[in-house]
Amino acid sequence: MSVAPHLHLPPTDRILSSRTGWTRAHWEATADRMLDALTPYATPGFAQYRLPGRNSWSGVVSDGLEGFARSFLLAAFRIAGAGGAVDPALIERYAAGVAAGTDPASGEAWPRLTDCSQQLVEAASVAIALHETRPWIWDRLDARVQERVADWFSGFVGGRTWDNNWRLFQVVSEQFLASVGAPYSKADIEGGLDRIEDWYVGDGWYTDGGGRNFDYYIGWAMHLYPLLWARIAGPDGDGGRGAVYRERLGRFLEDYPHFFGGDGAPVHQGRSLCYRFAALAPVWMGALADCTPLAPGLTRRLASGALRHFAERGVPDERGLLTLGWYDTFLPTTQPYSGPASPYWASKGFLGLLLPADHEVWTARELPLPVEESDTYTALPAPGWLLHGTRHDGIVRLVNHGSDHHPLPEAGDTDPDAGAGDDDPHYAKLAYSTATAPESAPHAFARNIDNHLALLAPDGTPSRRRRIHPVRCEDRVAASWSAARLPGDEHAYRIGTTSVLHGPWEIRVHRVEAPEGAVVREGGHAVAHRTSPFATSGPGWALARTADGLSSAVVGLYGWDGGPEDAEVARDVESNAYGPHSAVPYLRSAPHPGGQSVHVTLVVLSRDSVHPEALRSAVRVRVAGDAVTLGFLDGRTVEV
């Protein structure tokens, strides 16, 4: 693909950047285009940017503040990274916006900070941007404006935030107050930093609040804000916490490159995916805080590869704007709190501009990603994930046996789904990848076919995968169980699943408890494209393939004996972030006799040729009592 010409990028440099061709100049040009594109949507005093698109549940004024605050992050990294040598209008625009936003008489004043309000999120971005641009903006503000800014931030002091990553917004904002000599609460700062200790689960991983909440918020919030706080507090004011945060981020980054495909795409999992390349924030922070285990050339290759990946697919769009979606606008990828300027948290992905132009991250030659060098297998026990990448097609797949985004149950509650709300397609699936997205439009998720094993009620209603109970995650094997419920049946039927990785394949071994007459159904990855995918099926297998050669297949290896219609491909439209036409191969069992059964499925996602009929003989399955033994052609055996 070619990068959209409206970005006005410099020529590629294939000597310094043999993989992507991108240099620091490409990053600066992209940032400049994104910032320039916002000006037509500014209010007269530049305190708000009211962008086109669906409003959030917080209202148009809050959305306008969001447009200012999140783009101010991008402007701050651009200004500070250039030592102020940018178009003076950029500095003037954001300085004017700060003055007007904190002036109640301006007609475009920002909402006051109140407990758990959306403006708390945006205030943190303003605080960080003001800190990073002190010589060019804060220090030049009129004293009366500085007082108004401090007064606005004072709404944090003693206030309440949501008990998750929001605690860190209070931490960085009040630390900024402390840095400018304004009243603040040391207890608020220390309380927020103490609280995230409860959520640290080891190996560099936090959960975002209570529960098994693992997604990109771990990198762009739980690691990012503590180290941004440390930058404001300074080495003499962090009480030794900064060293702890650097060590944890370093450990997190050891595995993080395995989340990115050969084409630069990050794995498509979790909420707020419209932030897109904000996923690069922990990579840049590792270099900025001098705690990264990644070689400089790998850091830039990973970051430039991801930014270029989106630029090649129309992000930002022809107007220079970020839309509510992944590539194009796609609202099912968003949440109700997402407004038209929400995607500008992607500004965090430009944190690397704070590194000087002569830093080795910008001057070293690019190095290949892990998936570009070999097939990879990465077990992440903390979130309960397996990652596997295949060098020949550059795809990385995430097998999910641990992240469900549900709150913790009450102590002593024996219901396996206690406290769990509705499941979410961006957490509940068995697998995700860098080349696919879940079927997330409401009508498609109601069917809940892709990457899910369901019990089907007589009327076709599928069971859901709510709370995930991890069992095992090591080497190339991960396991978990969940409860399945059917309409009108209070019983929680237990479904245990073990995933075994082998090359590009995932073999799923399921132990299913079901009532008599229920049908067991399992789907593979949903593939999507601008044209309708090719689909075919046969006894015990089904395959869907896009016009550009991405194939998804499922092959029943044991327990799938549903008859002539036991394998099909489900089609849909406008249900997938990767394209308007999507397709999911799936298997169906015969009506269940009741009790327990075993089902073994081979799941394939590949850009290689896939022949499902031949794959049936590639894995030998032996079931003996409680044990299932898988035998592969290379002699490897795995007992589940």
Side-chain angles (χ1 to χ4, degrees):
M1 297 183 182
S2 60
V3 178
H6 68 270
L7 290 179
H8 307 299
L9 298 174
T12 56
D13 183 342
R14 290 292 176 179
I15 297 177
L16 180 65
S17 303
S18 60
R19 301 278 170 169
T20 69
W22 279 37
T23 64
R24 182 186 177 95
H26 291 79
W27 282 81
E28 291 174 340
T30 304
D32 290 344
R33 174 59 181 143
M34 289 170 60
L35 289 165
D36 290 345
L38 293 169
T39 55
Y41 305 97
T43 51
F46 297 102
Q48 299 180 32
Y49 290 91
R50 298 187 176 183
L51 301 179
R54 183 203 67 190
N55 289 330
S56 76
W57 59 14
S58 298
V60 66
V61 175
S62 176
D63 290 349
L65 164 60
E66 189 170 62
F68 177 89
R70 298 189 179 199
S71 65
F72 191 16
L73 274 181
L74 178 58
F77 301 153
R78 182 71 177 96
I79 293 166
V86 297
D87 183 348
L90 179 63
I91 298 173
E92 293 166 6
R93 198 158 68 233
Y94 281 92
V98 170
T102 55
D103 181 0
S106 68
E108 50 192 277
W110 302 332
R112 299 294 298 179
L113 304 185
T114 56
D115 287 355
C116 298
S117 61
Q118 179 63 34
Q119 46 268 33
L120 300 181
V121 183
E122 313 320 321
S125 292
V126 175
I128 293 162
L130 285 173
H131 170 73
E132 298 296 345
T133 59
R134 279 177 194 268
W136 305 282
I137 295 181
W138 175 260
D139 290 347
R140 298 181 183 180
L141 291 176
D142 183 276
R144 291 171 299 176
V145 176
Q146 291 182 340
E147 290 173 3
R148 292 204 308 263
V149 172
D151 179 65
W152 185 68
F153 276 117
S154 70
F156 263 119
V157 180
R160 184 173 65 88
T161 74
W162 297 118
D163 197 29
N164 54 17
N165 68 87
W166 282 45
R167 297 293 294 266
L168 296 170
F169 304 147
Q170 184 173 36
V171 166
V172 296
S173 297
E174 293 203 45
Q175 190 63 53
F176 176 75
L177 284 174
S179 74
V180 298
Y184 73 101
S185 168
K186 186 176 181 180
D188 286 350
I189 295 173
E190 293 187 347
L193 295 174
D194 288 344
R195 184 65 172 125
I196 70 171
E197 296 303 310
D198 298 331
W199 303 328
Y200 185 68
V201 295
D203 293 336
W205 284 88
Y206 294 87
T207 178
D208 181 13
R212 299 194 60 83
N213 303 320
F214 301 106
D215 53 27
Y216 286 111
Y217 274 83
I218 309 311
W220 68 41
M222 304 307 295
H223 279 295
L224 182 67
Y225 286 102
L227 284 167
L228 288 173
W229 164 80
R231 283 174 66 82
I232 302 173
D236 297 329
D238 69 5
R241 293 182 190 260
V244 174
Y245 300 146
R246 287 191 290 274
E247 186 276 330
R248 290 176 182 174
L249 176 57
R251 175 63 186 91
F252 178 78
L253 290 175
E254 289 179 17
D255 301 317
Y256 200 58
H258 294 276
F259 282 83
F260 293 81
D263 62 357
V267 170
H268 191 95
Q269 180 272 342
R271 72 195 191 284
S272 301
L273 290 170
C274 66
Y275 303 161
R276 300 170 173 106
F277 36 83
L280 302 174
V283 178
W284 287 127
M285 180 51 83
L288 196 63
D290 195 24
C291 63
T292 182
L294 309 182
L298 177 56
T299 293
R300 192 176 76 258
R301 188 271 174 269
L302 190 161
S304 292
L307 187 61
R308 177 166 182 153
H309 174 85
F310 285 102
E312 289 175 333
R313 291 158 179 80
V315 181
D317 68 10
E318 69 282 355
R319 301 166 297 177
L321 300 179
L322 301 180
T323 60
L324 282 165
W326 183 245
Y327 299 135
D328 201 352
T329 300
F330 186 71
L331 295 181
T333 298
T334 68
Q335 284 69 43
Y337 56 72
S338 301
S342 291
Y344 284 82
W345 243 26
S347 298
K348 296 177 178 183
F350 287 80
L351 185 70
L353 290 179
L354 290 177
L355 295 164
D358 61 356
H359 190 282
E360 58 184 349
V361 161
W362 294 117
T363 61
R365 297 190 67 178
E366 282 185 348
L367 297 176
L369 291 169
V371 75
E372 293 178 298
E373 294 192 294
S374 65
D375 291 354
T376 62
Y377 303 92
T378 308
L380 302 173
W385 287 343
L386 296 177
L387 294 170
H388 62 130
T390 40
R391 180 176 180 271
H392 74 276
D393 58 13
I395 296 175
V396 171
R397 307 152 192 84
L398 184 156
V399 178
N400 178 30
H401 287 277
S403 182
D404 57 24
H405 200 243
H406 293 303
L408 289 171
E410 296 292 332
D413 200 323
T414 58
D415 185 328
D417 279 335
D422 293 336
D423 48 352
D424 184 316
H426 296 99
Y427 294 93
K429 301 299 184 180
L430 285 162
Y432 300 89
S433 86
T434 58
T436 62
E439 297 281 79
S440 53
H443 73 273
F445 189 48
R447 299 165 69 193
N448 204 14
I449 299 176
D450 59 303
N451 278 320
H452 177 58
L453 184 127
L455 303 182
L456 301 182
D459 64 357
T461 301
S463 63
R464 320 300 289 190
R465 188 191 190 202
R466 289 191 172 88
R467 190 175 301 284
I468 299 172
H469 302 266
V471 174
R472 175 186 181 191
C473 183
E474 58 189 352
D475 192 25
R476 304 183 192 181
V477 180
S480 64
W481 67 273
S482 58
R485 287 180 164 87
L486 294 171
D489 187 341
E490 294 300 317
H491 185 75
Y493 297 97
R494 181 167 169 148
I495 296 178
T497 298
T498 299
S499 295
V500 178
L501 305 183
H502 188 84
W505 308 335
E506 177 193 356
I507 297 86
R508 297 175 186 163
V509 180
H510 306 282
R511 185 173 184 175
V512 176
E513 180 188 9
E516 182 179 358
V519 171
V520 181
R521 185 192 67 195
E522 179 166 25
H525 290 266
V527 292
H529 196 260
R530 59 180 174 271
T531 60
S532 185
F534 167 79
T536 184
S537 60
W541 61 267
L543 176 145
R545 184 174 64 246
T546 63
D548 58 359
L550 178 64
S551 295
S552 172
V554 288
V555 181
L557 300 178
Y558 184 89
W560 298 102
D561 52 357
E565 296 183 353
D566 65 348
E568 297 183 45
V569 175
R571 296 184 182 274
D572 217 321
V573 294
E574 304 295 351
S575 63
N576 196 288
Y578 274 64
H581 297 274
S582 55
V584 185
Y586 68 94
L587 305 172
R588 288 171 55 100
S589 75
H592 203 281
Q596 294 186 348
S597 61
V598 172
H599 303 262
V600 183
T601 309
L602 175 63
V603 179
V604 182
L605 178 69
S606 178
R607 295 193 187 278
D608 206 351
S609 297
V610 176
H611 303 282
E613 308 98 316
L615 288 175
R616 195 183 287 276
S617 61
V619 185
R620 300 183 306 278
V621 179
R622 182 167 60 87
V623 179
D626 288 337
V628 175
T629 303
L630 307 176
F632 299 97
L633 294 178
D634 62 0
R636 179 182 176 226
T637 61
V638 178
E639 183 174 291
V640 176

